[in-house]
Amino acid sequence: MEELTQVWEWIWEVAGYRLVFNAMTIIMTLIIMGLLILFGFYATRKAQYVPNPCQVVGELFVQTFWNLTRNALDEEMAKKYFPLICSLFMFLLLSNWIGVLPHMNEPTKDLNTTLGLGVMGFFIAHYAGIKTKGFGNYIKEYFQPIFFMMPLNVIGELAKVISISFRLYGNIMGGSIIIIVVSHLVYGLIVPPFLYAFFGLFVGTVQAFVFTMLTLVYISVQVK
């Protein structure tokens, strides 16, 4: 289990505070961001009526998530939040898939990544709610159906962040643990490649989609 317990860290001392960063997570996140930028560049550089493979994949993502966002929100709101939803899914998908490659680690195997994305979605959803309803109407909803339910309503909103973050983190980390255990049991023969394909590709795709759709649902609930 050394693969999971050994963490490559960057430690900085700033104004008397000790800041610890997971170097692998940062590097892998930057790699994924770079790959997505390159993909976007090649998918749109020479857009044609008869598309090339990159353009086909790009149009598939755009059309699919535009339809999903427009169905969850109205068309005007979809124009604002569609870029977030589409890019979030693409980032999570590649983050979950990249662990299939040798010597690569999934950024989503780090709770800081999933929790950070969950907190981001939380603030965006509630900002959208305040902007759409007005601050007064937004606050009133926490006192429904009875005023003393307010603490439970607040806890319920905070629990959404924990739920969405730990679901993604738990599935990716759990898959990594299973792969490591089985690899040691069978000495890396036969089974692990299938496990990599299952947990990395299939489960990774499902969890990226679930996280993205839950973020969209949270935004939709706040603006309606």
Side-chain angles (χ1 to χ4, degrees):
M1 302 291 288
E2 294 181 357
E3 297 91 331
L4 298 177
T5 57
Q6 291 183 350
V7 179
W8 176 22
E9 296 178 340
W10 288 335
I11 301 175
W12 295 349
E13 297 285 344
V14 179
Y17 292 95
R18 186 170 179 266
L19 304 180
V20 181
F21 300 92
N22 188 322
M24 182 58 71
T25 298
I26 294 173
I27 291 172
M28 296 307 301
T29 300
L30 291 174
I31 290 173
I32 290 167
M33 291 170 62
L35 291 174
L36 290 175
I37 292 171
L38 285 175
F39 171 74
F41 174 75
Y42 283 109
T44 59
R45 183 181 58 167
K46 293 182 179 179
Q48 301 174 355
Y49 184 76
V50 179
N52 57 53
C54 272
Q55 186 180 338
V56 169
V57 176
E59 290 179 356
L60 176 63
F61 281 124
V62 169
Q63 189 61 47
T64 300
F65 284 94
W66 167 251
N67 290 335
L68 290 170
T69 307
R70 185 177 57 184
N71 290 336
L73 311 169
D74 60 49
E75 187 152 350
E76 190 62 31
M77 294 291 290
K79 292 177 182 178
K80 297 179 181 179
Y81 294 104
F82 157 71
L84 166 70
I85 297 303
C86 187
S87 59
L88 178 61
F89 175 76
M90 294 174 68
F91 173 79
L92 289 174
L93 184 67
L94 196 54
S95 295
N96 295 342
W97 280 5
I98 203 166
V100 175
L101 301 177
H103 309 296
M104 295 288 188
N105 284 319
E106 306 93 325
T108 45
K109 198 164 64 177
D110 186 343
L111 182 58
N112 293 300
T113 299
T114 59
L115 188 59
L117 292 173
V119 170
M120 178 193 72
F122 173 84
F123 279 108
I124 290 174
H126 287 273
Y127 168 78
I130 293 171
K131 189 173 181 181
T132 303
K133 303 170 185 174
F135 186 75
N137 291 329
Y138 167 80
I139 290 296
K140 286 180 183 178
E141 292 187 351
Y142 285 93
F143 295 89
Q144 300 296 331
I146 306 172
F147 71 93
F148 59 75
M149 293 293 291
M150 189 271 287
L152 291 179
N153 289 331
V154 172
I155 293 172
E157 290 299 317
L158 295 175
K160 291 177 182 178
V161 180
I162 305 300
S163 172
I164 193 174
S165 304
F166 277 81
R167 178 186 290 106
L168 178 58
Y169 165 74
N171 277 277
I172 302 304
M173 177 60 80
S176 298
I177 293 173
I178 292 172
I179 290 170
I180 291 172
V181 171
V182 174
S183 296
H184 283 289
L185 290 175
V186 299
Y187 303 100
L189 301 175
I190 303 173
V191 178
F194 293 99
L195 290 177
Y196 274 111
F198 177 76
F199 286 105
L201 302 180
F202 178 72
V203 174
T205 301
V206 171
Q207 290 305 315
F209 186 77
V210 169
F211 189 101
T212 305
M213 288 300 98
L214 286 175
T215 302
L216 177 59
V217 168
Y218 294 160
I219 295 173
S220 175
V221 168
Q222 290 299 323
V223 301
K224 292 184 178 179

